[in-house]
Amino acid sequence: MRSANHIAAFLCGLLASGCAPRARPRPEDAIRPGDVAGTAAPFFLLATATDGRWLVACQARDDTDGSGALDARVREDGTFTGDDLTPYLFQASLAGDGSGEPLIALQATSQDGRWLVVQDAGGFWLRDTLRDDRTRLEDGAPGASFDRFGGRLAYVKSAGGKAVAAILDLTTRQELLVDPGPGLLRAVRLDADGEMLNLWLDPPPIERPRSTPARRPGLRKPPPPPPPPPPPRPVCPSPADRAIPRGLERPAEIHRVLLLPDGRPIEVPGLLRTVGRALLRRGEHGELLVQDAQGFEVEWVPHDCGARVLQVDPGREAVLVACDGAAGDRPWSEVELHGTRVHRALGVEVPRGGTDTWLSRRPRLYDVPKMTLRAGQQEHVLRPGWVDLDRKATLPWEGRILWSEGGRALVRAESGRLWLVDVDLETSAPLDPPRPGESPLVAASPLVALDGVVVNVKDQTVLGEYPGRALALDRKGRVLVTTDPRGWGPARWVTPAFPR
């Protein structure tokens, strides 16, 4: 795994609501290994609780396309095709009913799995899955977001005939309403640390002057009432849809941000993303700047780099970029690390061009994979490596990082074999799963399930093996599996074990 040929050197109080209390679950009501979720039909998982207490999945249970069979699948572009899908919420049940509760849409989940925002035929609801109760979000609309700590909820609601942003404190249940300014509010999202609120709006519609018809005595009739809106259709976002932040399926013409709790919405030219209490934006000449709440700016990446963002790490106050502007006519770009007290080329390369991207996680190790590009009649092997964001350097290790916890990683070598690696101790050990290539990777940090085996990447230990195809994993190491090779339901939770 270690190569000397590679370079060694890289954040019900004030809410007008109706509460529907429900019986609180007993400890023994938690989902147990063996509990079934879903029917024998297409099954696409949307979200699970970190402790396996609930899951939401989309299923097609009716032949809506008239093909004579139930069928729904994912195309190569990540979109769905086949029969219509409906989201279902599956919760702990001693009765073993795997049919689930049908929803219109899953709007948001908190990172710890306690809170859900769902839409059903009765409207929008905040669900507390620990207390097993729910609160109606009066006048709610599609679009919701929790902060990283599960302490705040932001959602869109109607107030006085206008869509506004509502910020709900989940502890005190106090609600703050924010006027987003001119435009039609479409989506809101809290920064991961809950300090900034993002607002996406469409321009207000252009009102065209109406002609006034001449009045004729005795023929004046009141206009007919508008037809009632059609009932909402179930929404099951495809993998392609989930790659886009909720509410941004159409390009947003207006993006505003505000600093909580009492900032005002502002538009920031060149804004890339919020970072805690600051903003990362692109300047007039392509430089990357960090701007604080008072408007003070610091340049992180100079304009001559022509930076394309690969990763943003607010905690380490750094950004990993590809310098597309310095690549000239080459189809590849150098990777550099910039930020507070660091400006460094890392000696690795990526294909040139593309859009700004970043991971929702903030791993210490960032993998720059090995690739070969053709430049005219010649081939160029891009310089790969692992960027260590703590050391601010590239490490001389090979293989593709599948998951990492600090300086420890689960890696797939070029040969296809799995390895457990510790870059601090400079050690590696092979891992031999029972079904190579037959079960996709699912994770619940620090645990990973892959190819029939569950591994604690942080401890570099193996918890055991599981049957079937993995769909999800909880933090106790239980695996949600299906024995259908297509990944269809029903699914059930199993505890990994070593074969006797």
Side-chain angles (χ1 to χ4, degrees), residues 14-15 152-155 157 164-169 173-179 197 258-263:
L14 296 180
L15 175 66
R152 284 173 171 161
L153 166 68
Y155 70 101
K157 71 178 297 182
V164 301
I167 311 296
L168 177 64
D169 187 302
R173 295 302 177 97
Q174 292 184 333
E175 188 179 60
L176 171 69
L177 298 183
V178 177
D179 187 333
L197 178 67
L258 63 90
L259 180 65
L260 297 172
D262 51 7

Side-chain angles (χ1 to χ4, degrees), residues 142-403:
S145 165
F146 291 94
D147 67 12
R148 182 160 58 99
F149 307 103
R152 284 173 171 161
L153 166 68
Y155 70 101
V156 180
K157 71 178 297 182
S158 177
K162 180 178 182 179
V164 301
I167 311 296
L168 177 64
D169 187 302
L170 298 177
T171 301
T172 66
R173 295 302 177 97
Q174 292 184 333
E175 188 179 60
L176 171 69
L177 298 183
V178 177
D179 187 333
L184 303 176
L185 182 62
R186 187 189 338 145
V188 297
R189 189 173 73 235
L190 286 166
D191 181 81
D193 296 316
E195 298 289 339
M196 288 275 191
L197 178 67
N198 291 269
L199 306 156
W200 284 276
L201 303 94
D202 291 325
I206 300 175
E207 295 187 3
R208 298 179 179 177
R210 297 179 179 180
S211 58
T212 304
R215 293 184 179 181
R216 298 178 62 185
L219 296 180
R220 185 176 180 181
K221 294 183 179 180
R233 293 176 56 84
V235 177
C236 275
S238 68
D241 296 330
R242 295 199 295 273
I244 304 172
R246 186 179 297 276
L248 303 186
E249 293 80 5
R250 307 186 311 276
E253 296 194 27
I254 304 172
H255 181 190
R256 299 191 181 110
V257 295
L258 63 90
L259 180 65
L260 297 172
D262 51 7
R264 61 181 182 85
I266 59 171
E267 294 179 46
V268 180
L271 177 64
L272 294 178
R273 58 163 289 174
T274 55
V275 183
R277 295 177 60 85
L279 306 171
L280 178 66
R281 73 177 190 88
R282 184 169 272 112
E284 294 181 4
H285 304 290
E287 68 274 19
L288 293 187
L289 306 164
V290 173
Q291 175 181 319
D292 66 15
Q294 286 71 44
F296 179 75
E297 291 183 343
V298 176
E299 181 181 278
W300 271 13
V301 187
H303 71 90
D304 56 358
C305 168
R308 171 169 48 93
V309 177
L310 303 176
Q311 175 66 338
V312 180
D313 197 315
R316 295 179 176 90
E317 297 184 351
V319 59
L320 192 67
V321 299
C323 287
D324 289 345
D329 295 331
R330 299 176 307 178
W332 65 86
S333 302
E334 299 279 349
V335 175
E336 297 185 359
L337 183 65
H338 293 269
T340 304
R341 298 180 298 277
V342 58
H343 300 279
R344 182 174 299 174
L346 296 170
V348 291
E349 300 165 337
V350 294
R352 183 184 181 189
T355 59
D356 297 314
T357 59
W358 48 79
L359 302 173
S360 57
R361 298 179 68 236
R362 302 171 186 173
R364 169 183 161 185
L365 301 177
Y366 184 92
D367 180 21
V368 178
K370 182 178 180 180
M371 296 182 64
T372 300
L373 293 182
R374 177 173 293 276
Q377 299 299 318
Q378 297 182 342
E379 289 186 345
H380 176 79
V381 178
L382 300 184
R383 290 176 289 170
W386 297 358
V387 178
D388 187 331
L389 296 175
D390 276 356
R391 300 183 190 181
K392 300 178 175 59
T394 302
L395 304 181
W397 291 86
E398 292 181 334
R400 190 66 186 266
I401 297 176
L402 303 178
W403 193 267

